Amino acid sequence: MYNIFRPLLIIFLACCIGCKNRTNVDLIVHNAVVYTADSAFTIHEAFAVKDGEFVAIGTTSDILDRYESDSTLDAGGKAVYPGFFDPHSHFVGLGQMLDMADLVGTSSYQEIISKLRAFRQQHPEQPWLIGRGWDQNDWDNKQFPDKALLDEAFPDVPVFLTRIDGHAALVNSKALRLARVTSGSKVEGGLVELKGGEPTGILVDNAMRLVRMVIPRPSDEEKRAQLQNAEKACFAVGLTSVSDAGIDRPDIEMIDQMHKNGSLRIRDYAMISVSPTNLDYYLPRGPYQSDRLTVRSFKIYADGALGSRGACLLKPYADAPTSGFLLTSPKELEDFISRIATSNFQANTHCIGDSANRLTLNLYGKYLEGANDRRWRIEHAQVVDTSDVLKFSVYNVIPSVQPTHATSDMYWADERLGDERVKTAYAFKDLMKQNGLIALGSDFPVEDINPLYGFHSAVARVDAKGVPPGGFQKENALTREEALRGMTIWAAYANFEEKKRGSIQPGKAADFVILEKDIMKVPEPELRDTKVLRTVLGGETVYRRSN
């Protein structure tokens, strides 16, 4: 009898020993399609999380055999990706915009007035009427508007309306009077538009500051609420790491404080707005790194935007007798770059036009002196002359681009640039080839916050309507693998964070997102509509779709 039951006893004891030897972890995810975004682009089925980090990745049977947890998630065969990055966004700006009149998608000046009236009825207590998102390129009349309709509708309330790209504003007469802006007001790197010798209400680039400086600032309590609202919006679309492409010390310190007291959780790569004051303060102190906040870069503005004709071009615009202008003089630009070069900080420079890109790349080259690991970036790299593209490789410069800019601007970009020069714009594939990587962001709230819109634009080169058939300059489309890397591990690399996050690998932060559809396989038209089912930050669920 003993001999009969002995094999069963051995199996029973082995199972008991196996159970006792399983390692306890905080979370197990299994029965999934896990896109790790590691160097081999490995796909697994399951992983285990402990103390906010991935501890093991493998097959479902392997992970369930080796680990146990009170929290186990059966993904039901859904696709899992590293938490999405937005390496060029405006997180603070998103929070502010959620308290403004939303003018995105308006098709006429009259529609703007209607939206402003509705917003004013809901917020009669606000001393200023603030809005953002208008784009005259979406109207039948594509000329800049003037203040006439604003003056008629809001004669006693100051109005400040930022254009979609953040590089121009429309204000009314009340706002101009409060800011004491007149026909004689001048500002370097900006324009107070005049007609008949009087301001039209259009302020371009640095001229916007003339009015902004008299707008009351939100209280600290209001700003904290704005940041929390922005965080909620980011988690809902799968973003676990964002950037702040140009903020000042008070905002940086508030974000850090909120991280420390637990009232803000999202990871933030803060780019310090470059200025002599900020350089004097931050350079001696060196980079700052916490679990949630990284401060090791300066944001520099070389020029403005293409839509408002503030981008600095080598030759005049095809539709206007101007070549745009620099927001920072060449001398000042070199001063900023030379000071950053002597530190451990990164230089991230906004360059839209081919002239601004050439100037900045040449200055980078002067101070980087060839191969390096400084990871200096060109933000946008929107129009780059063919002769300058190779400089990204020679100087190891990272192109940080926004795919939805291409599909938003394509309707009028050739009017601004001409048929030949537009071919040098939004050249993501050409730029990616220089160093084998590219960082993909959105520039929100200039563009939509959803990173899958950028993924779709990068891969298909069409907008939400599927326009144009076959894709806009499709030769510069990215593969799905390249696009996913661009919004995960390559974005992390551009932020010096690739050893901490950006891929699903042991030892890295357990940031991941589960989608309802597999964006690596579904037809292109379904990419934009794919929903986030769950967003996890450091092993903790921060968003879960309710239906």
Side-chain angles (χ1 to χ4, degrees):
M1 182 68 68
Y2 174 77
N3 289 335
I4 295 174
F5 286 105
R6 183 179 181 187
L8 295 176
L9 179 64
I10 292 173
I11 293 172
F12 174 76
L13 291 173
C15 290
C16 291
I17 293 171
C19 289
K20 290 180 180 178
N21 286 341
R22 284 196 297 171
T23 302
N24 188 267
V25 292
D26 300 324
L27 172 67
I28 293 173
V29 176
H30 64 95
N31 189 21
V33 180
V34 182
Y35 290 94
T36 63
D38 63 8
S39 59
F41 207 71
T42 311
I43 302 173
H44 287 295
E45 296 176 341
F47 54 78
V49 174
K50 178 73 172 179
D51 296 330
E53 295 182 349
F54 298 112
V55 294
I57 295 95
T59 64
T60 290
S61 59
D62 176 50
I63 296 300
L64 292 179
D65 285 347
R66 295 167 54 200
Y67 299 93
E68 62 181 357
S69 176
D70 293 333
S71 181
T72 301
L73 175 61
D74 183 338
K78 298 295 185 183
V80 181
Y81 308 87
F84 297 146
F85 275 66
D86 195 318
H88 184 107
S89 60
H90 301 276
F91 181 67
V92 171
L94 175 64
Q96 294 169 344
M97 185 174 179
L98 294 174
D99 280 349
M100 299 178 186
D102 184 1
L103 307 178
V104 175
T106 47
S107 58
S108 68
Y109 196 172
Q110 286 290 354
E111 186 181 354
I112 285 179
I113 298 298
S114 296
K115 282 183 172 283
L116 292 176
R117 281 180 171 143
F119 185 84
R120 185 64 181 169
Q121 286 182 342
Q122 296 173 349
H123 305 276
E125 77 289 350
Q126 293 187 359
W128 280 66
L129 183 49
I130 309 293
R132 178 168 181 152
W134 62 271
D135 185 354
Q136 84 284 358
N137 291 310
D138 294 337
W139 307 348
D140 290 336
N141 179 2
K142 302 186 186 303
Q143 300 301 312
F144 269 146
D146 60 32
K147 58 187 171 60
L149 291 185
L150 287 183
D151 287 347
E152 181 181 337
F154 307 102
D156 301 317
V157 180
V159 182
F160 187 94
L161 310 177
T162 306
R163 191 180 181 277
I164 184 69
D165 58 14
H167 287 269
L170 173 64
V171 303
N172 66 349
S173 293
K174 177 75 171 179
L176 292 173
R177 287 195 298 270
L178 288 173
R180 298 181 180 179
V181 175
T182 68
S183 58
S185 299
K186 306 291 182 183
V187 59
E188 185 176 353
L191 171 69
V192 177
E193 186 183 70
L194 303 177
K195 184 177 291 184
E198 293 298 323
T200 65
I202 288 291
L203 308 173
V204 181
D205 286 312
N206 290 347
M208 297 165 66
R209 299 176 188 169
L210 300 175
V211 175
R212 272 195 179 135
M213 63 194 307
V214 300
I215 299 175
R217 295 178 180 273
S219 66
D220 285 352
E221 182 179 357
E222 290 170 331
K223 291 199 73 169
R224 284 190 286 267
Q226 289 174 351
L227 293 172
Q228 290 172 328
N229 289 335
E231 176 184 76
K232 186 182 299 183
C234 289
F235 287 157
V237 294
L239 289 169
T240 56
S241 295
V242 295
S243 56
D244 266 307
I247 57 175
D248 286 312
R249 180 181 166 191
D251 289 329
I252 293 171
E253 293 180 348
M254 176 173 286
I255 291 168
D256 190 35
Q257 180 188 52
M258 293 179 70
H259 279 154
K260 288 176 178 176
N261 65 29
S263 59
L264 196 69
R265 295 170 290 177
I266 196 165
R267 306 189 197 280
D268 195 332
Y269 189 77
M271 304 181 202
I272 309 158
S273 292
V274 76
S275 69
T277 299
N278 283 340
L279 287 167
D280 288 345
Y281 179 82
Y282 283 101
L283 288 181
R285 288 165 173 78
Y288 173 78
Q289 178 80 60
S290 73
D291 179 50
R292 306 282 165 126
L293 178 65
T294 302
V295 185
R296 63 168 303 162
S297 65
F298 284 91
K299 171 67 180 300
I300 306 169
Y301 281 95
D303 64 346
L306 198 63
S308 53
R309 299 186 184 87
C312 192
L313 302 179
L314 293 169
K315 297 179 181 179
Y317 282 80
D319 61 352
T322 177
S323 297
F325 47 80
L326 294 172
L327 302 189
T328 307
S329 70
K331 181 180 182 303
E332 190 176 24
L333 191 63
E334 181 164 10
D335 180 61
F336 291 154
I337 290 172
S338 65
R339 292 188 66 184
I340 295 169
T342 62
S343 74
N344 291 323
F345 282 89
Q346 180 187 44
N348 298 335
T349 306
H350 165 117
C351 298
I352 300 289
D354 48 13
S355 179
N357 274 286
R358 175 173 293 178
L359 171 63
T360 303
L361 285 166
N362 287 343
L363 285 172
Y364 276 13
K366 178 178 179 178
Y367 291 95
L368 291 174
E369 299 178 340
N372 63 86
D373 190 34
R374 299 297 301 273
R375 305 187 196 182
W376 285 12
R377 293 160 45 170
I378 297 290
E379 304 298 322
H380 309 304
Q382 205 165 97
V383 187
V384 183
D385 189 83
T386 305
S387 64
D388 293 318
V389 171
L390 189 62
K391 295 173 184 176
F392 283 87
S393 173
V394 174
Y395 307 134
N396 285 22
V397 176
I398 297 174
S400 172
V401 306
Q402 300 71 47
T404 49
H405 281 343
T407 51
S408 292
D409 297 357
M410 64 185 179
Y411 288 96
W412 47 263
D414 60 338
E415 296 176 8
R416 294 284 191 278
L417 298 170
D419 292 339
E420 287 303 313
R421 186 165 46 183
V422 74
K423 295 175 183 177
T424 69
Y426 317 100
F428 306 147
K429 191 78 166 187
D430 289 342
L431 292 170
M432 188 216 72
K433 290 178 180 177
Q434 300 311 305
N435 294 303
L437 61 89
I438 192 167
L440 303 183
S442 71
D443 203 17
F444 73 68
V446 173
E447 298 281 355
D448 195 281
I449 186 177
N450 193 329
L452 296 184
Y453 290 7
F455 183 90
H456 177 241
S457 292
V459 169
R461 300 282 288 203
V462 299
D463 63 11
K465 302 173 185 177
V467 175
F472 170 67
Q473 299 183 174
K474 191 66 182 287
E475 67 275 10
N476 268 294
L478 302 178
T479 67
R480 297 194 193 206
E481 179 180 328
E482 290 164 351
L484 183 63
R485 289 185 183 279
M487 52 198 270
T488 56
I489 190 63
W490 288 347
Y493 179 87
N495 290 359
F496 292 92
E497 296 173 337
E498 78 280 4
K499 293 182 180 179
K500 297 182 177 182
R501 54 189 74 101
S503 59
I504 298 177
Q505 294 179 269
K508 290 192 176 184
D511 300 346
F512 62 91
V513 59
I514 304 177
L515 301 182
E516 64 169 351
K517 299 178 183 179
D518 188 343
I519 60 173
M520 306 305 289
K521 296 179 179 178
V522 298
E524 289 178 353
E526 297 182 29
L527 291 172
R528 277 178 165 281
D529 297 327
T530 297
K531 306 301 181 187
V532 173
L533 298 180
R534 188 186 295 257
T535 304
V536 178
L537 184 75
E540 176 188 356
T541 296
V542 291
Y543 170 80
R544 184 176 181 181
R545 188 171 175 81
S546 58
N547 54 12

